[in-house]
Amino acid sequence: MTAKAPITPDILTVPRKEPEGGKINLVGLTRDKMREVLIEHGTPEKQAKMRVGQIWQWIYQWGKRDFADMTNLAKAYRAQLDEHFEIRIPEVVSKQVSTDGTRKYLVRIAGGHEVEVVYIPEEDRGTLCISSQVGCTLTCSFCHTGTQKLVRNLTPGEVIGQVMMARDDLEEWPIPGAPKDETRLLSNIVLMGMGEPLYNFENVRDAMKIAMDPEGIQLSRRRITLSTSGVVPEIARTAQEIGCLLAISFHATTNDVRDVLVPINKRWNIDALLQALADYPKASNSERITFEYVMLKDVNDSDEDAHRLIEHIKRYNIPAKINLIPFNEWPGSPYQRSSNNRIRAFANIIYQAGYASPIRKTRGDDIMAACGQLKSATERARKSRKQIEAEAGLKS
Ligand code: SAH
Ligand code: SF4
């Protein structure tokens, strides 16, 4: 008997046959998977490895989307590829540019869902903030995405496709033969958009492997930061299987407060989390863990909180930097931003204790592109306020 397996988001892993055209999208496939589908569709087994190498470079190094452009492949073979495969990335629905240069894109993925991607230019680098899920299963009470139910996990192609889309928009694909330009507009990736990346582990991992591949986009693992709310069992796996930098949405110094702000704390509390961070094998002075701490007026911003935060980090001897994030309000948000003086005083206590304590500059808030303001226009799966409050344990 072949009972149908329950559909879980992870089953949406590529290769996906999309309704339009029924072609297999090559974007997001691992090299092994690409080899497999090429063989299935007529590439001789003996040639498959070489063909993967060639196609891979066209897609990820040169940004080509059309098999006809792959000039080191025979014409007949290009036509054969075109019959079965496509090179497709999410479609840009809208683009807004902030007065500070931040770009916010709304992109559409299969099924008509939409996610947001933000590009933040800085003097010495450019950071792309990408999404890993449509919505989020978690309900952090200060986060706009947390008001939206999880619709689905993004596939690896949709995750890496956001990076490819941004390179298109920035016109940053190299030109064959031209001298290599070392100063990249898109030099860093942060997984800080919509969704909890560690609840979509395999797909995020496969996409980041593509971002780091030396024959493609070639970003160093030190230029990729994954932010998690604290999915403790997946933290060690992140070090082993991705090896990128880690940021943790810490946000509170007592379990009582963290249970409300970051409800996953009820499952893995502050000590369980700190232990996992202390064990993050890649952690070293040059690879500090970033503690993200959103500054909420009268909720988590006292001097006592700052001292407790330091005690926690010291107790577990974690190489850390503490990134203070002024709370970004969104329509209906239940909190207020701490005053600038309060944030500075908090930062100073941390700094005096010997830790870097940068205050994150709010970018793109005129276009609702700042941290925690992201939420797709797909409103139909919105959680009710009651549900959020119940799940977060808020009293009123
Ligand atoms: N789910 C992951 C990554 C996405 S959130 C996580 O929670 O870490 C990215 C960062 O933005 C997190 O540190 C999150 O806590 C923060 N954030 C969410 N809402 C915010 C808001 N309204 N103002 C400021 N930061 C916010
Ligand atoms: Fe999800 Fe992160 Fe927002 Fe929490 S802060 S609801 S984990 S996206």
Side-chain angles (χ1 to χ4, degrees):
M1 203 201 75
T2 52
K4 260 198 174 166
I7 305 276
T8 68
D10 276 341
I11 286 177
L12 293 169
T13 307
V14 282
R16 299 157 59 88
K17 285 209 173 182
E18 303 302 353
E20 323 97 69
K23 291 185 180 180
I24 296 172
N25 188 7
L26 293 183
V27 177
L29 301 191
T30 61
R31 283 171 181 269
D32 284 349
K33 196 79 213 170
M34 195 186 288
R35 183 174 176 275
E36 209 176 282
V37 296
L38 288 182
I39 293 170
E40 264 170 37
H41 291 87
T43 301
E45 214 170 316
K46 273 198 195 143
Q47 295 178 7
K49 194 170 173 220
M50 184 175 73
R51 298 291 173 239
V52 169
Q54 290 168 315
I55 297 167
W56 189 277
Q57 284 195 356
W58 283 118
I59 298 176
Y60 297 115
Q61 189 162 345
W62 307 115
K64 297 297 176 199
R65 304 288 147 73
D66 195 338
F67 295 107
D69 293 336
M70 303 186 177
T71 47
N72 57 356
L73 302 174
K75 256 196 170 156
Y77 184 59
R78 286 183 245 163
Q80 183 188 328
L81 290 174
D82 193 44
E83 213 176 293
H84 302 291
F85 305 110
E86 62 182 354
I87 302 161
R88 185 145 56 86
I89 64 165
E91 175 198 341
V92 180
V93 177
S94 66
K95 170 180 151 186
Q96 285 170 278
V97 182
S98 158
T99 48
D100 66 16
T102 300
R103 301 179 185 203
K104 180 169 89 163
Y105 311 90
L106 188 64
V107 300
R108 187 174 297 138
I109 57 171
H113 307 299
E114 286 160 357
V115 290
E116 279 158 318
V117 187
V118 180
Y119 173 73
I120 306 145
E122 283 170 281
E123 234 158 65
D124 55 343
R125 64 178 161 185
T127 303
L128 193 71
C129 178
I130 60 174
S131 296
S132 57
Q133 301 182 310
V134 184
C136 189
T137 47
L138 301 172
T139 49
C140 304
S141 50
F142 56 89
C143 171
H144 204 194
T145 307
T147 64
Q148 199 196 351
K149 276 186 177 160
L150 176 71
V151 178
R152 74 167 169 84
N153 281 343
L154 266 57
T155 64
E158 289 162 348
V159 176
I160 196 65
Q162 296 170 58
V163 179
M164 296 163 74
M165 173 282 297
R167 289 199 101 187
D168 287 353
D169 190 53
L170 297 165
E171 296 180 22
E172 203 179 25
W173 294 104
I175 297 159
K180 214 172 162 190
D181 182 3
E182 295 297 347
T183 49
R184 294 224 203 156
L185 293 172
L186 199 173
S187 61
N188 293 60
I189 296 177
V190 293
L191 281 146
M192 294 187 186
M194 295 166 64
E196 170 49 59
L198 295 189
Y199 274 150
N200 185 15
F201 187 87
E202 281 86 6
N203 292 357
V204 165
R205 175 200 59 202
D206 289 353
M208 291 306 102
K209 291 247 182 255
I210 294 173
M212 295 185 275
D213 191 291
E215 288 181 12
I217 297 166
Q218 297 180 28
L219 283 177
S220 142
R221 64 184 183 87
R222 290 193 179 79
R223 290 187 171 271
I224 299 176
T225 303
L226 182 149
S227 174
T228 178
S229 58
V231 186
V232 164
E234 305 289 356
I235 289 179
R237 251 183 115 192
T238 305
Q240 284 154 11
E241 297 181 33
I242 310 178
C244 60
L245 302 185
L246 190 69
I248 185 82
S249 287
F250 207 70
H251 304 319
T253 61
T254 65
N255 283 314
D256 281 351
V257 177
R258 197 162 190 273
D259 280 352
V260 174
L261 297 182
V262 191
I264 200 176
N265 196 68
K266 293 183 205 156
R267 179 89 166 82
W268 294 289
N269 67 17
I270 288 180
D271 276 300
L273 177 58
L274 289 166
Q275 187 59 57
L277 299 178
D279 293 342
Y280 194 77
K282 305 281 176 196
S284 70
N285 274 331
S286 59
E287 293 190 28
R288 292 172 298 179
I289 291 176
T290 301
F291 281 65
E292 297 169 281
Y293 199 93
V294 65
M295 297 299 291
L296 304 171
K297 187 172 184 221
D298 299 332
V299 174
N300 66 354
D301 64 350
S302 67
D303 286 355
E304 291 72 37
D305 279 306
H307 289 297
R308 260 196 306 267
L309 180 59
I310 296 304
E311 273 165 35
H312 285 317
I313 293 170
K314 287 217 156 125
R315 192 152 36 92
Y316 284 85
N317 202 15
I318 301 171
K321 104 171 171 200
I322 293 89
N323 206 336
L324 299 176
I325 315 174
F327 174 60
N328 293 310
E329 295 193 17
W330 36 273
S333 57
Y335 302 106
Q336 287 174 297
R337 180 185 291 189
S338 309
S339 70
N340 288 344
N341 281 344
R342 183 89 294 270
I343 297 175
R344 272 196 293 270
F346 196 97
N348 200 35
I349 292 173
I350 294 167
Y351 181 74
Q352 295 298 335
Y355 294 88
S357 54
I359 299 168
R360 193 179 287 176
K361 222 170 121 205
T362 298
R363 299 290 302 257
D365 57 349
D366 54 336
I367 54 170
M368 286 282 283
C371 299
Q373 291 182 315
L374 300 184
K375 187 162 102 84
S376 87
T378 319
E379 292 285 335
R380 63 186 115 97
R382 185 190 273 227
K383 287 170 189 162
S384 69
R385 174 129 305 275
K386 249 191 173 158
Q387 190 187 349
I388 295 163
E389 284 166 359
E391 287 174 32
L394 286 175
K395 292 288 175 301
S396 58

